């Protein structure tokens, strides 16, 4: 019997343990992927804690997966994939194809969206079974440890910017310089936006500039963030990567007329925005989900072209619990990546 390892939690908020399982054969429409790297995302906490409906235990999280196709299931032969192909799988782990959003081609908001670690075992292991429509092809020159985080953190920030109302030359602010934000600043600069980094502490100014930011706003300086943005002419777009509703709210008055607040940082607390703040200047607030497998491919291609990479710390699968705790504490700089091999 052939086996593989997974890092799982057996109870909500439990400690990760390594266990061995029998290697499964892919079913119809599935592929078996040999995992080479898997990023540890803050959203994994939603699964580990059992905070989302439908999470079952033991749970194997991980939705920033990079690896190689090991075996193809029935019904995948005509999809253009071959064993050995390098692939990434992110938050978008497959769609149903028959709900209204899917029939309209908006697969990432599928009413029955599959997410690794939530609806099936994720990438904290040596292997993972995934639906074939979740696969994104990794371009040459992009290492597995970089491609994994691109499948969630990367595509969310890249897609959030490219689908926004901003155009090259516009002032675009990125709130937060963490796992999402440090990529967001790089993408914004590469897209030709006049880029503003917003974070806590004057000491982060140099880091923001190294990422490509043209301006830096210290949210602890005493000058309101909105006032600082207006002094630069007002932001066409604020990409809110920080999962902190109060900090997100503080940027709204910094938007230019018809400006857009794109929220990708998750928080359960409500935003403190009044209708008047939106009405008088025609401002827009919208949430942005991750992206489809094709969006992930676009993100990786753009990243490879412009030399954009996530900042990562790689650790072996055996240290999954330590990596998860480090991410949860905010000490990770900026993506913990598990390497099963």
């Amino acid at each position: 019997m052939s086996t593989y390892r997974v890092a799982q939690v057996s109870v909500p908020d439990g400690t990760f343990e390594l266990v061995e399982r029998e290697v499964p054969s892919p079913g119809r429409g599935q592929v078996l992927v040999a995992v080479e790297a898997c990023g540890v995302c803050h959203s994994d906490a939603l699964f580990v804690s059992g905070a989302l409906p439908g999470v079952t235990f033991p749970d194997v999280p991980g939705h920033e997966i990079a690896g190689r196709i090991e075996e193809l299931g029935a019904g995948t032969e005509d999809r253009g994939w071959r064993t050995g192909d390098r692939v990434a799988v992110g938050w978008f782990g497959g769609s149903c194809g028959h709900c209204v959003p899917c029939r309209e081609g908006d697969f990432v908001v599928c009413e029955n969206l599959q997410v690794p670690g939530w609806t099936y075992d994720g990438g904290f292991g040596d292997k993972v079974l995934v639906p074939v429509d979740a696969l994104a092809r990794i371009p040459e020159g992009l290492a597995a440890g970089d491609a994994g985080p691109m499948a969630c953190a990367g595509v969310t920030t890249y897609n959030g910017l490219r689908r926004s109302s901003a155009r090259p030359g516009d002032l675009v602010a990125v709130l937060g310089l963490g796992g999402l934000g440090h990529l967001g600043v790089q993408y914004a600069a590469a897209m030709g936006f006049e880029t503003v980094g917003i974070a806590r502490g004057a000491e982060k100014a140099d880091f923001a500039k190294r990422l490509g930011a043209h301006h830096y706003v210290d949210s602890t300086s005493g000058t309101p963030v909105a006032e600082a943005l207006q002094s630069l002419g007002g932001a066409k777009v604020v990409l809110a990567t920080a999962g902190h509703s109060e900090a997100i709210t503080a940027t709204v008055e910094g938007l230019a007329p018809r400006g857009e607040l794109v929220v990708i940082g998750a928080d359960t607390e409500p935003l403190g925005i009044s209708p008047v703040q939106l009405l008088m200047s025609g401002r827009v607030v919208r949430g942005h989900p991750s992206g489809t497998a094709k969006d992930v491919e676009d993100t990786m291609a753009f990243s490879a072209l412009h030399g954009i990479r996530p900042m990562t710390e790689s650790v072996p699968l055996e240290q999954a619990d330590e990596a998860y705790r480090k991410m949860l504490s905010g000490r990770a700089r900026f993506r913990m990546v598990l390497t099963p091999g």
Side-chain angles (χ1 to χ4, degrees):
M1 179 181 71
S2 180
T3 63
Y4 73 108
R5 304 169 304 156
V6 297
Q8 66 178 34
V9 288
S10 298
V11 296
D13 289 321
T15 300
F16 280 90
E17 56 181 350
L18 273 185
V19 300
E20 290 200 359
R21 298 182 179 179
E22 185 176 353
V23 176
S25 294
R28 174 165 290 275
Q30 292 182 319
V31 299
L32 181 66
V33 174
V35 178
E36 295 180 343
C38 186
V40 182
C41 177
H42 199 277
S43 297
D44 287 320
L46 298 172
F47 313 140
V48 173
S49 65
L52 294 177
V55 175
T56 59
F57 292 89
D59 180 71
V60 181
H63 56 269
E64 294 187 342
I65 306 164
R68 294 180 184 272
I69 295 177
E70 189 167 286
E71 186 178 353
L72 294 161
T76 63
E77 301 88 349
D78 60 348
R79 297 293 191 96
W81 299 104
R82 299 289 182 270
T83 56
D85 285 351
R86 303 177 67 231
V87 294
V89 181
W91 178 269
F92 178 83
S95 56
C96 71
H98 59 74
C99 69
V100 172
C102 282
R103 293 177 67 190
E104 293 175 342
D106 200 357
F107 301 106
V108 76
V109 290
C110 169
E111 295 173 1
N112 306 292
L113 183 69
Q114 297 186 72
V115 179
W118 183 2
T119 53
Y120 58 84
D121 286 344
F124 284 20
D126 296 319
K127 303 179 191 297
V128 62
L129 272 180
V130 301
V132 69
D133 64 324
L135 299 178
R137 194 177 300 277
I138 300 174
E140 292 296 326
L142 196 62
D146 293 329
M150 294 289 181
C152 180
V155 69
T156 303
T157 50
Y158 174 77
N159 239 11
L161 289 168
R162 75 165 174 170
R163 298 188 187 282
S164 75
S165 58
R167 296 295 178 264
D170 286 341
L171 189 77
V172 170
V174 178
L175 173 65
L177 294 178
L180 292 169
H182 88 286
L183 287 168
V185 169
Q186 293 180 76
Y187 288 134
M191 290 177 182
F193 304 139
E194 184 179 352
T195 305
V196 185
I198 307 171
R200 295 175 58 84
E203 70 280 0
K204 295 180 182 177
D206 287 342
F207 176 60
K209 297 294 177 65
R210 289 200 304 273
L211 292 173
H214 303 93
H215 312 279
Y216 177 72
V217 172
D218 173 11
S219 62
T220 66
S221 68
T223 301
V225 169
E227 184 178 321
L229 290 176
Q230 289 296 346
S231 71
L232 295 170
K236 180 67 175 179
V237 167
V238 171
L239 183 71
T241 73
H244 192 282
S245 292
E246 185 177 349
I248 295 171
T249 299
T251 68
V252 174
E253 289 295 332
L255 290 169
R258 304 286 182 187
E260 183 179 21
L261 172 62
V262 180
V263 180
I264 62 175
D267 191 0
T268 57
E269 294 298 315
L271 296 173
I273 300 172
S274 73
V276 171
Q277 288 178 288
L278 306 179
L279 290 170
M280 300 306 291
S281 296
R283 294 168 175 145
V284 174
V285 179
R286 68 176 179 89
H288 173 74
S290 178
T292 65
K294 179 60 169 65
D295 293 324
V296 174
E297 287 188 352
D298 292 347
T299 300
M300 293 189 293
F302 186 89
S303 301
L305 181 65
H306 291 276
I308 295 172
R309 300 291 187 273
M311 297 182 179
T312 62
E313 179 182 344
S314 296
V315 297
L317 183 64
E318 293 85 347
Q319 297 178 23
D321 194 72
E322 296 96 312
Y324 175 76
R325 305 298 164 189
K326 189 170 183 179
M327 175 279 298
L328 210 57
S329 70
R331 293 182 292 112
R333 292 293 181 267
F334 287 94
R335 261 303 189 263
M336 302 302 298
V337 175
L338 301 179
T339 52

